[in-house]
Amino acid sequence: MDIEGLAAIVTGGASGLGGATAARLAKAGAKVTILDLNPDLGGAHASAIGGHFIRLDVTDEGAVEAALDEAEGLHGKARILVNCAGIGAPARIIGRDGKAMPLSDFTRVVTVNLVGSFNMLSKFAARLQGAGPVGPEERGVIVNTASVAAYDGQIGQVSYAASKGGIVGMTLPVAREFARLGVRVMTIAPGIFRTPQLGTLPQDVLDSLGAQVPFPNRLGEGDEFAALVEHIVANPMLNGEVIRLDGAIRMAPK
């Protein structure tokens, strides 16, 4: 699928992996709408890349429909969806005080990361049912974001790992169902990447995290994630698969 001139939606696109993806798609000629909860970062980044920003909670069904309506009214029917919106709340199941993790803490992470991704992709794809193809074969592409934690979840990552494991698990059945629509579905499972969340850590901690990556022996960069998104969109045979983008890292238990 040729990105030039297509409308694209990037959730979590205000910064981090989503921000890099939004910028790369815009550079390739896409008309990008950023969906994010942070209006300051989102608005500034959208302005910088010549895109559009809409404040959105991806778990809100009505708000997602309204955001897709607004984006379509401005840029036309979106053909590319990249789900990068997500949260993490590290915590052990049984805390130091001996109490179990509140169910609401677990549910919140799974709801944002997994249910939010499903909410976006289902409503995005439904809009492509009557659309004509882009090029000879396909109508759209969905790229979800999982994590190596889906496979190598560490102690304290139970809610995050469960949410990302759910994204991995739904990749193939969603791709199989959407095949009739001509919509491809892929998932990227990144390793340790330089993101705003990691940016709050001391440099020695960042160096230690980067040293865990076999090769290249460093943290991943957002544009490397975005480059894979760009290739997925361009390559029509990439469908129904999860790609680990991790420099061969396998996470230790803690």
Side-chain angles (χ1 to χ4, degrees):
M1 181 180 290
D2 186 359
I3 294 173
E4 176 72 37
L6 295 181
I9 305 285
V10 183
T11 73
S15 61
L17 302 181
T21 299
R24 184 140 189 150
L25 291 176
K27 186 176 180 181
K31 296 173 287 187
V32 178
T33 297
I34 291 172
L35 307 181
D36 200 287
L37 276 175
N38 190 318
D40 295 330
L41 286 178
H45 191 46
S47 178
I49 66 172
H52 180 62
F53 171 74
I54 303 171
R55 188 178 186 278
L56 178 72
D57 174 355
V58 295
T59 69
D60 185 326
E61 286 195 85
V64 167
E65 291 283 18
L68 291 174
D69 281 342
E70 182 177 334
E72 186 170 331
L74 186 65
H75 291 155
K77 195 173 295 291
R79 301 306 185 115
I80 302 166
L81 169 66
V82 186
N83 278 319
C84 290
I87 60 172
R92 290 177 179 249
I93 300 170
I94 301 174
R96 297 183 186 278
D97 58 4
K99 295 181 180 180
M101 174 193 298
L103 183 59
S104 59
D105 291 354
F106 182 88
T107 302
R108 177 171 173 265
V109 175
V110 173
T111 300
V112 172
N113 295 355
L114 175 57
V115 179
S117 294
F118 178 81
N119 192 26
M120 286 298 311
L121 71 84
S122 60
K123 291 173 175 54
F124 168 85
R127 291 166 176 260
L128 291 178
Q129 292 181 90
V134 178
E137 298 178 303
E138 53 192 327
R139 288 185 173 82
V141 180
I142 297 167
V143 182
N144 294 317
T145 304
S147 166
V148 296
Y151 307 97
D152 313 329
Q154 296 181 299
I155 293 171
Q157 283 190 320
V158 63
S159 59
Y160 186 73
S163 70
K164 296 303 186 177
I167 291 173
V168 167
M170 74 177 178
T171 301
L172 183 57
V174 175
R176 284 171 163 170
E177 180 174 342
F178 288 178
R180 68 178 179 83
L181 301 176
V183 175
R184 293 187 289 116
V185 182
M186 288 288 294
T187 294
I188 301 174
I192 307 176
F193 274 67
R194 194 183 303 275
T195 62
Q197 187 176 7
L198 282 187
T200 62
L201 299 175
Q203 187 60 46
D204 61 331
V205 175
L206 293 176
D207 292 341
S208 175
L209 289 172
Q212 297 176 35
V213 183
F215 185 81
N217 195 216
R218 58 171 175 79
L219 299 175
E221 299 293 342
D223 193 57
E224 292 168 327
F225 177 93
L228 181 53
V229 172
E230 184 176 19
H231 180 72
I232 288 170
V233 173
N235 191 329
M237 282 302 291
L238 285 172
N239 192 19
E241 186 54 272
V242 181
I243 301 175
R244 286 185 68 134
L245 187 66
D246 60 14
I249 197 171
R250 297 298 181 269
M251 303 294 287
K254 59 181 178 179

